[in-house]
């Protein structure tokens, strides 16, 4: 992870100790939405930076990556809003 939380270790310990679980419906959403967006980002970036003929990512492809990252943010905001109101 590029920038872990300062208390991340304690959070993982709390999850383990209290046996906290994410409901399967939320896992399905996470797997689907995050998985799809990350797959698209990997395809876009990978097609330019892997293999023998590496090249810079063109601006139009970079914009697609940014759009996918924004989709991830919007999805997480929606999930947070819905789960906080419960």
């Amino acid at each position: 992870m590029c920038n872990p939380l300062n208390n991340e270790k304690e959070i993982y310990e709390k999850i383990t100790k209290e046996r906290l679980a994410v409901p399967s419906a939320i896992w399905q959403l996470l797997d689907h939405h995050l998985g799809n967006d990350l797959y698209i980002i990997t395809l876009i970036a990978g097609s330019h930076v892997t293999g023998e003929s590496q090249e810079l990512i063109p601006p139009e492809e970079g914009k697609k990556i940014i759009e996918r990252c924004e989709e991830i943010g919007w999805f997480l905001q929606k999930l947070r809003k819905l789960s906080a109101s419960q």
Side-chain angles (χ1 to χ4, degrees):
M1 235 171 263
C2 63
N3 190 15
L5 295 168
N6 61 355
N7 64 337
E8 191 163 325
K9 181 180 178 199
E10 291 82 10
I11 293 172
Y12 284 122
E13 289 171 356
K14 179 180 175 82
I15 291 169
T16 302
K17 182 179 178 182
E18 296 180 21
R19 304 181 90 179
L20 301 176
V22 176
S24 64
I26 293 176
W27 275 123
Q28 288 175 348
L29 287 170
L30 290 170
D31 284 342
H32 177 75
H33 289 283
L34 298 181
N36 285 345
D37 287 328
L38 291 172
Y39 180 69
I40 291 168
I41 291 168
T42 301
L43 284 178
I44 294 169
S47 67
H48 296 286
V49 301
T50 58
E52 296 198 18
S53 61
Q54 296 181 4
E55 58 186 40
L56 296 176
I57 298 173
E60 62 273 4
E61 296 295 300
K63 288 178 185 177
K64 291 178 186 177
I65 291 172
I66 291 170
E67 289 171 4
R68 301 307 344 146
C69 292
E70 289 172 344
E71 287 288 332
I72 291 170
W74 292 327
F75 166 73
L76 291 174
Q77 287 175 2
K78 180 178 180 178
L79 186 61
R80 184 179 298 117
K81 181 180 176 182
L82 289 172
S83 62
S85 64
Q86 300 293 323

